[in-house]
Amino acid sequence: MDKGSLGSAVRDLPEKYRQFYLETAQFIPSKRMFADPIRTLAYGVDASLYRITPKIVVKVRTAEEVTKILKICDRLKIAVTFRAAGTSLSGQALSSSVLLVLAGGWSRYSICDNGKTITLEPGIIGAQANQYLKSYSRKIGPDPASINHAMIGGIAANNASGMCCGTADNSYKTIAHMNLIFADGSELDTADRDSCQRFTDTHPHLIGELQRIHDEINSDTELSELIAHKFKIKNTTGYSLNAFVDYHSPIDILKHLMIGSEGTLGFITSVTYHTVFEHPYKASALIMFPDLKQACIAVMRLDRPLVAAAELLDRTSLRSVEGNAGMPDYLKELDEQATALLIETRALDQATLKENIQAIIQDLAGIPVLFPIEFTDVKAEYELLWKIRAGIFPAVGGIRRQGTSVIIEDVAFPKEHLAEAVLALRECMNRYGYEDGVIYGHALDGNVHFVFTQNFDTTDDSRRYQDFINEVCRMVVERFDGSLKAEHGTGRNMAPFVELEWGQRAYNYMKQLKEAFDPDNLLNPDVVITQNPAVYLENLKYMPPVHEIVDKCMECGFCEVNCPSRNLTSSPRQRIVIQREIARLQESGEDYDRQRQLEHDYAYFGEETCAADGLCETTCPLAINTGSFTKYLRSTKVTARGRNIALFMARNFSGVTSLAKLGLAGAHLAHVAMGTCMIGGLAGKARSVTRKVPKWSKWLPKAGSKPQASFVPDKSKQKLVYFPSCVSRTMGPAKDDNDQRPLHQVMMALFAKAGYEVILPPDMEKLCCGMPFESKGYFEAADEMSSQLEKALLACSNNGEYPVVCDTSPCVYRMKRVMKTSPLKILETVEFIHDHLLNRVEVVKVPDTVAVHVTCSSIKMGLTDKFRVIAEACASKVIMPEKVKCCGFAGDKGFYVPELNESALEHLKETLPPECNCGYSNSRTCEIGLADHSGISYQSIAYLVDRCSLEKK
């Protein structure tokens, strides 16, 4: 987005928003504040069924920034919404005003009392918190299904729970302390007596209101009993009124009210949790019952702590995953009424685990089952069973009709009503035409999810959805005394129904709380509390078809954690959101100028800054590779002239690499002659004139050299084919690299130590896997190159008899993908070293601290653990920076779009200890960017292994 366009976007804002932008720009850099159409649209979705475009998006990184912004909003009377990961399912992370997004920062943590408490800033992902606690055999209590993607801020603000935590270990029950910022910009540290006293002194009205409400509720026996009763099961409808029954100090009440308040009462800057024990022994069983009723009766006999989790899976949900890889064959043969319970039990030792299993079987005695109950404590086996549960929601999304939204509702029933209630819910879904919808969930807590697909194309579609939701709400509340929201938060989805569930007296107290904390209704309006009874029917998503690669996307945001451009321009979810809006505009023809502007802006925002690494696929529930979609878009822009140039380059590849070597040699000579500062300054000035000049850094490699076989054939030795990639043939070490040998020499040395006879492909200077062409959308040239390479490798490997080793990970990934039907056995460097070399050499560990970067392609090939094993065998300490995913160098983008590499590696240097002076990876271009942003030499992992290995005697 150019400055002129951004300025125009700000000028078009209403006056008070222009003022907000100007004041906020005094302390927030322009790269973290957006008002332009494409960026605001991109942040206009969360995982819910709503789409609302904010006027201004601000990426905040510190509590000080939030405090200043809230003071401005308070003065200008501008509404503001806080957003963490945006995985929320009820529309609570959306705004039509100012959206504050946690981006960068917010990642500090501390562990105390031998892991019994942990303090977390709100930008830490839940699973990462558990990783910090792993060595203590502890974890945080909340365990939502989104724990690998949701951030602590959202987990606490929504009181997210999950399969095992129930009502005993959720955020409400395990919170110790909080740091908070309120609507007026005031702050509170609930662990600090002085802070609490200052807050009490400066906010007498709020403290007084909390005390008054506490006294009135506790003097009203009927209401206090209602509150206690309703929180015996999971409940996130409205505010946590149980705080007034469970606690007496206004600060304690306030702290617990913030849990589940969804950003409507204040902003959470840190949370201190009491942690829970992580049991080392586990066993699971998938138990099949003849029908839904029998499964629910079985659940009613089970309880904690004997059972850690009991997940209900109806026949429709089982059918949705029965065709997935690894699923048991018997799923396809089940009767139409069959229903499953997936049960897990945990223990401190094996003997207790066996006792638990027998106790569960005894508890279920007499209830008919389709197969004998069998538990497994084998990790691989019970993980496969839980894969069934994990696959249900995405499976529904994957098979939905094009253009429909996936809607997931979550209710809870008292367990004594579970069987009758679930049967009534199923009947209601069928009656409204949602026969394909699924029912599953955390049955041990009476918590049931029901998932269905819905379009909103016509008035009748919307009316059917409205009538269905209203009937379900009345059924849950009036017939079964349940919760309308068990763990997904009220949001705007259930805000109009809070009074229905709680009644007028309790709801009035909730409104009084909102008024006391946020008198001007500036914090996330229309969430939890609303005056608009139709808010749940407004701003519904429209999801027109774009392309088969991305059409299944549910916009859940699970992809975002891996995306290298997420803090620079856009994430995979946002790219799809923009493309859907472009498709909608094309379809409707309503605003051609807007369509053209979005298409123009997307060129940089979505396409040019996409690394196309495909890591999004690894965490997407539907395995959508947005990188493949980007490559497809690039291919649509290929002209006849461009196609012919690409084919010419492919057919004259040795000349292309020779020219590249010549350029690298010239740059290296200039570097040596003029020094780093002078050559860097000249290159920087040239690039400031035109982006066509590549970025120069002192880690730019010198020219590569031609690989040569270093020993004569020996029939007694095992043969292998070594294919040095075009990148490693073209690029040698950099001037400041620790080892000045070219990579092929190092590989040859390793082969020799391990006793291999090496075959080099003839005319290898002509060979390439095609990756450079594919990434730019030149598919024809890419396939022609890979076909030529395959033929050459088949010839020199004796038609696949000898394994083929390639030294560059992205190249191997493409080779394995496009040559998957070939008899070739293709091995990546890490794969070869781990599986075929370490046991043939003697490894002597060096007393070094080394950094390791696992490339995207290595992650997708499942080599992360092997990478770690190799590095730990060679060095005394191995650092694998948790905040670094894809490095963003992306072939040559590190030269021409260096800001992508810079953004992706923003946190690299800070994670490396001072004693770490070398890093290792397995892709030469990635190593350039890693070295540039860390200040230390990065080279292939082969260099480390060669340094530490000796020939076995």
Side-chain angles (χ1 to χ4, degrees), residues 883-905:
K883 295 182 182 179
V884 179
K885 307 289 184 178
C886 170
C887 72
F889 207 90
D892 65 353
K893 283 195 179 295
F895 297 123
Y896 295 99
V897 192
E899 61 269 29
L900 175 60
N901 183 227
E902 179 183 355
S903 180
L905 297 181

Side-chain angles (χ1 to χ4, degrees), residues 549-575:
I549 295 176
V550 298
D551 281 341
K552 292 180 181 180
C553 174
M554 300 179 292
E555 300 178 2
C556 65
F558 286 11
C559 56
E560 294 186 339
V561 66
N562 287 327
C563 182
S565 61
R566 67 187 183 278
N567 289 328
L568 175 66
T569 50
S570 60
S571 68
R573 165 167 64 176
Q574 293 173 332
R575 289 182 170 92

Side-chain angles (χ1 to χ4, degrees), residues 262-384:
E262 302 174 32
T264 64
L265 303 182
F267 178 78
I268 301 170
T269 65
S270 75
V271 173
T272 300
Y273 279 123
H274 295 292
T275 63
V276 300
F277 193 77
E278 174 71 302
H279 292 84
Y281 294 91
K282 302 175 184 179
S284 296
L286 185 65
I287 307 173
M288 293 294 172
F289 298 88
D291 55 43
L292 195 58
K293 182 177 180 179
Q294 296 301 324
C296 291
I297 290 172
V299 172
M300 292 160 67
R301 294 192 184 181
L302 303 173
D303 216 336
R304 293 186 177 89
L306 179 62
V307 177
E311 294 293 298
L312 180 73
L313 310 168
D314 76 350
R315 182 65 184 99
T316 311
S317 64
L318 290 170
R319 188 182 299 110
S320 71
V321 297
E322 65 186 19
N324 293 0
M327 295 298 103
D329 291 337
Y330 65 78
L331 291 183
K332 298 178 181 178
E333 301 170 3
L334 294 173
D335 182 83
E336 284 303 301
Q337 300 302 314
T339 304
L341 278 184
L342 178 53
I343 294 176
E344 179 166 290
T345 185
R346 301 174 177 180
L348 294 175
D349 55 69
Q350 192 69 45
T352 306
L353 187 70
K354 290 181 179 179
E355 292 174 5
N356 287 355
I357 291 171
Q358 292 306 311
I360 293 169
I361 293 173
Q362 183 60 39
D363 286 344
L364 297 179
I367 299 177
V369 293
L370 298 180
F371 308 102
I373 298 174
E374 294 184 1
F375 277 83
T376 177
D377 61 357
V378 178
K379 189 172 186 288
E381 293 178 0
Y382 66 66
E383 283 183 347
L384 180 61

Side-chain angles (χ1 to χ4, degrees), residues 190 275 654:
T190 67
T275 63
S654 61

Side-chain angles (χ1 to χ4, degrees), residues 210-223:
L210 293 176
Q211 190 65 59
R212 176 187 65 80
I213 294 172
H214 166 271
D215 294 344
E216 289 182 8
I217 287 176
N218 283 277
S219 65
D220 186 333
T221 304
E222 183 180 359
L223 180 56

